[in-house]
Amino acid sequence: MIKQFIQDVCWGYLDFLLIDTPPGTSDEHMAIMECLPKCSVILVTSPQAVAAADVLRQVSFCRTTGANVLGIIETLSGFVCPNCSDCGFAILVKEVVKSLQITAN
């Protein structure tokens, strides 16, 4: 179904094609990588430990398939400014980034 969607639709010229997939490294991810072998990805996670573990598996999957990981975005969390106590959005998951640095070495 995914292959048909990607290959049979007349997309025209695209700067970006965003595909929202469920967590993990399932058949959907494999099908996308087969159709779009030179793609780049942005991984989205939440602050829970199980979500961070999913992202680590996804990074490993991306490395194996040759996909370029552009970044990791954490959703459903905030960042409290140490100067003004204003709450904004966190961009990177610190623990996942630390884990990625460990596994990259």
Side-chain angles (χ1 to χ4, degrees):
M1 177 78 73
I2 291 175
K3 288 181 184 181
Q4 182 181 4
F5 178 69
I6 292 173
Q7 295 172 345
D8 292 351
V9 173
C10 182
W11 294 101
Y13 176 77
L14 296 175
D15 287 326
F16 298 97
L17 175 62
L18 300 177
I19 302 172
D20 185 8
T21 63
T25 55
S26 63
D27 291 340
E28 293 90 353
H29 300 94
M30 292 299 294
I32 291 167
M33 294 310 298
E34 288 174 9
C35 294
L36 304 169
K38 295 182 181 182
C39 69
S40 296
V41 300
I42 298 173
L43 302 172
V44 180
T45 188
S46 58
Q48 294 80 19
V50 70
D54 279 341
V55 165
L56 288 175
R57 282 192 298 278
Q58 291 169 354
V59 168
S60 177
F61 173 80
C62 290
R63 287 179 177 162
T64 301
T65 60
N68 179 31
V69 178
L70 297 176
I72 302 169
I73 298 173
E74 182 179 56
T75 186
L76 304 174
S77 68
F79 171 78
V80 178
C81 176
N83 296 320
C84 67
S85 298
D86 187 32
C87 184
F89 294 103
I91 298 175
L92 295 176
V93 184
K94 292 178 186 176
E95 294 304 316
V96 172
V97 171
K98 287 179 191 174
S99 298
L100 291 175
Q101 291 169 349
I102 291 169
T103 58
N105 295 328

